[in-house]
Amino acid sequence: MGSQRILVGVSGGIAAYKVCEVVSAMAQAEAEVRVILTQSAQAFVSELTFSTLARQPAYTDADFWTARPRPLHIELGEWADVCLLAPLTANTLGKLAVGQADNLLTNTILASTCPVLLAPAMNTDMWQQAAVQRSWQQLQLDSRYHAIGPGAGRLACDRVGPGRMAEPSEMLTFLTSLSYTGGQRDLAGKQLLISTGGTREPIDPVRFIGNPATGRMGIALAQAARHRGAQVTLVHGPLEAELLQQLGGICAIAAPTAAAMAQAMLGHQPQADWVIMAAAVADVRPARVAATKLPKSELPSDLPLEPVPDIVAALATARQPQQLIVGFAAQTGEIVPPAKAKLIRKGLDAIVANPVDRPSSGFGSNQTQAVLIDRAGRQRISPPGSKLELAHRLYDFLRDLA
C-alpha cells in the first residue's frame, strides 16, 4: 500500500473508533493518509487522535473556512488516489446520493474523481428505511462508488441485525484492491468458481489425514475477484473463524473432504467462466473409515490408503467452451518444470507455480511469490508480495488469455 494517497472521511457514528485501526495500519504500511472529520464525528473521535495515527494533519469544517492559496476541498480531492467513507451514516449517504455538499467532507468527495469505498454503519431500523435504501441504491449507480457491508451482528444499541460496519481487515483489503485496479470492475459479468483450503480425509470421527493449507490464497482470490466486479462461489475446506468473516458478498460452500469438494466443484462448474483450483486436496485417503472412534490400541500400524480422484483433471475434462481452468502447483526446489508438466498432463489453461520452501512463501503465510504459466508456455513472474497482489496479477494474466 506504500506510496498510495488515501483520504478517509469519518462521519458521526460510534463505529468511528474502528476507523482508528484502519488509519494506523495504512500509515504503518507507508501509505499517505489524510482524514476529514465531520462535526458530529468529532464527538466520537478527536482530530488529534487521527492526525497522530495518520502522521498527517486531520481536517475539520473549521479548516474548510480558513483562507488558503487553493480551496481545501479541491486540493484534497485532487490529491487522493482512493477515498474511504467510514462510518458512512444515513445523513452523509443521503447528501451524496443527491449531490448535496454542505461540509468539507461532502465537498471534497464531489471535487474528487477517484474510487470511493463506502462502509455504512447505522441502527438496523435506520438501515432498512426505504429512504435510506433508495439513497444506497442510487449512489451505487455511480461506478466510482464501491460498497463494503454492512454486516449483521450486535450493534452499539444492542439491536442484533444488519447495520454493523465492516471490520478493519475487510476495509484494508478492499482499499488495497482499489489501489491496484484504480476502481476498475473489469471482471463484471464473470462467474468465478474457486476452491481453497486443505481437505481432511477421516480415519475415524476424530482423526484424519490432512495438510497445513489455511485457505488464505483462495480467500485472496475470491476477494480480489469480487472487488473487480465478479460473482464468486468459493468452495472451501475447514477454515479458521477469522477467515470465514472475510467472505462478505461471496457465496461460500464448505467441503471438508475431497469427495465433498469434487461434488461441489463439478456441480457448480457449468455456470462458471473461470474455474480456479487453489485448494490443497489430499492425494490419498484411508481405504476404510471407522464409524466410531478407534481406541488407541486398535489403531492400525499400517494404514491402508487409496488414491483420491483428481478434481482439477475432472474439471478440465468437463470444461465448457467459454471456460478457463486454472490449477495451482505448490512445489519445493525447481518449481517451473513440474508445474508445466502438470498443466499439460491435466489439460489446464494456466497454472500458478509457487514455492513452499522459501521464506514467507509457504503454507499459512500472508506473503507469497509465483510463476504464472499458460498453455502456450508463456510465463509471467509474480515477485514476492501479498497473496492479494498475486491474485490480482493472476487475473491480469487470465484476462489476457480470455
Side-chain angles (χ1 to χ4, degrees):
M1 192 175 283
S3 80
Q4 289 296 314
R5 298 188 298 268
I6 301 174
L7 181 66
V8 180
V10 185
S11 300
I14 185 59
Y17 81 92
K18 289 185 179 181
V19 186
C20 295
E21 182 179 340
V22 178
V23 169
S24 178
M26 290 190 296
Q28 290 181 52
E30 299 184 350
E32 290 186 66
V33 186
R34 296 182 183 178
V35 180
I36 298 174
L37 293 90
T38 65
Q39 183 175 350
S40 57
Q42 296 171 69
F44 294 93
V45 184
S46 72
E47 172 190 358
L48 176 60
T49 297
F50 279 116
S51 63
T52 302
L53 293 173
R55 287 76 160 170
Q56 294 279 350
Y59 301 96
T60 68
D61 284 348
D63 301 299
F64 191 23
W65 306 113
T66 301
R68 303 172 64 90
R70 296 189 74 217
L72 180 58
H73 65 294
I74 303 297
E75 183 179 304
L76 290 173
E78 293 177 349
W79 171 85
D81 293 322
V82 180
C83 292
L84 167 67
L85 299 186
L88 177 66
T89 60
N91 185 44
T92 299
L93 169 60
K95 291 176 182 179
L96 292 175
V98 297
Q100 181 181 342
D102 64 353
N103 59 17
L104 176 58
L105 176 57
T106 51
N107 272 274
T108 301
I109 295 300
L110 294 185
S112 68
T113 58
C114 66
V116 180
L117 181 60
L118 307 171
M122 64 194 76
N123 166 267
T124 298
D125 290 330
M126 296 174 67
W127 173 249
Q128 293 177 336
Q129 288 291 327
V132 171
Q133 287 301 305
R134 280 197 301 271
S135 294
W136 181 239
Q137 297 303 323
Q138 178 65 32
L139 204 55
Q140 290 182 80
L141 294 176
D142 186 331
S143 62
R144 286 187 63 205
Y145 294 104
H146 300 256
I148 183 168
R154 182 174 294 278
L155 309 180
C157 59
D158 287 330
R159 177 74 181 272
V160 177
R164 182 183 178 89
M165 190 173 74
E167 295 303 314
S169 60
E170 296 177 86
M171 289 187 274
L172 288 165
T173 299
F174 210 142
L175 288 168
T176 300
S177 287
L178 292 176
S179 295
Y180 183 95
T181 65
Q184 295 298 310
R185 293 183 174 90
D186 56 350
L187 298 187
K190 288 194 178 296
Q191 299 274 348
L192 268 67
L193 176 62
I194 301 169
S195 72
T196 197
T199 61
R200 296 179 177 180
E201 308 307 322
I203 298 171
D204 64 18
V206 299
R207 301 181 180 94
F208 59 84
I209 297 174
N211 60 63
T214 63
R216 294 179 187 277
M217 186 68 243
I219 288 175
L221 287 164
Q223 291 173 321
R226 177 178 171 269
H227 298 162
R228 293 171 78 146
Q231 295 293 314
V232 182
T233 298
L234 181 70
V235 178
H236 64 85
L239 299 178
E240 296 178 2
E242 89 170 270
L243 297 178
L244 286 169
Q245 293 172 358
Q246 299 178 23
L247 298 179
I250 295 165
C251 175
I253 301 170
T257 65
M261 187 166 286
Q263 182 179 18
M265 292 295 290
L266 289 165
H268 287 81
Q269 180 181 10
Q271 294 76 42
D273 296 297
W274 295 355
V275 180
I276 304 176
M277 194 71 195
V281 182
D283 295 307
V284 295
R285 63 191 175 196
R288 294 184 300 275
V289 179
T292 59
K293 180 185 175 183
L294 296 171
K296 187 175 181 180
S297 60
E298 295 182 16
L299 289 173
S301 56
D302 295 313
L303 184 64
L305 300 174
E306 65 182 16
V308 169
D310 192 323
I311 300 175
V312 74
L315 292 166
T317 299
R319 71 154 48 81
Q320 306 294 312
Q322 83 283 3
Q323 287 179 337
L324 292 180
I325 310 295
V326 183
F328 269 67
Q331 303 289 158
T332 59
E334 181 61 45
I335 65 173
V336 171
K340 290 176 69 174
K342 179 178 179 179
L343 180 151
I344 296 168
R345 184 173 67 252
K346 301 193 177 186
L348 308 180
D349 295 293
I351 197 164
V352 180
N354 60 311
V356 293
D357 58 349
R358 299 180 192 174
S360 300
S361 192
F363 291 114
S365 173
N366 287 319
Q367 304 293 306
T368 192
Q369 55 188 295
V371 178
L372 313 179
I373 308 168
D374 72 8
R375 59 181 173 271
R378 292 180 291 246
Q379 298 181 23
R380 186 176 300 175
I381 295 174
S382 181
S386 72
K387 290 183 174 178
L388 187 71
E389 289 172 318
L390 172 57
H392 281 297
R393 291 184 183 120
L394 175 60
Y395 293 141
D396 291 345
F397 187 66
L398 297 180
R399 187 187 56 202
D400 294 341
L401 292 181

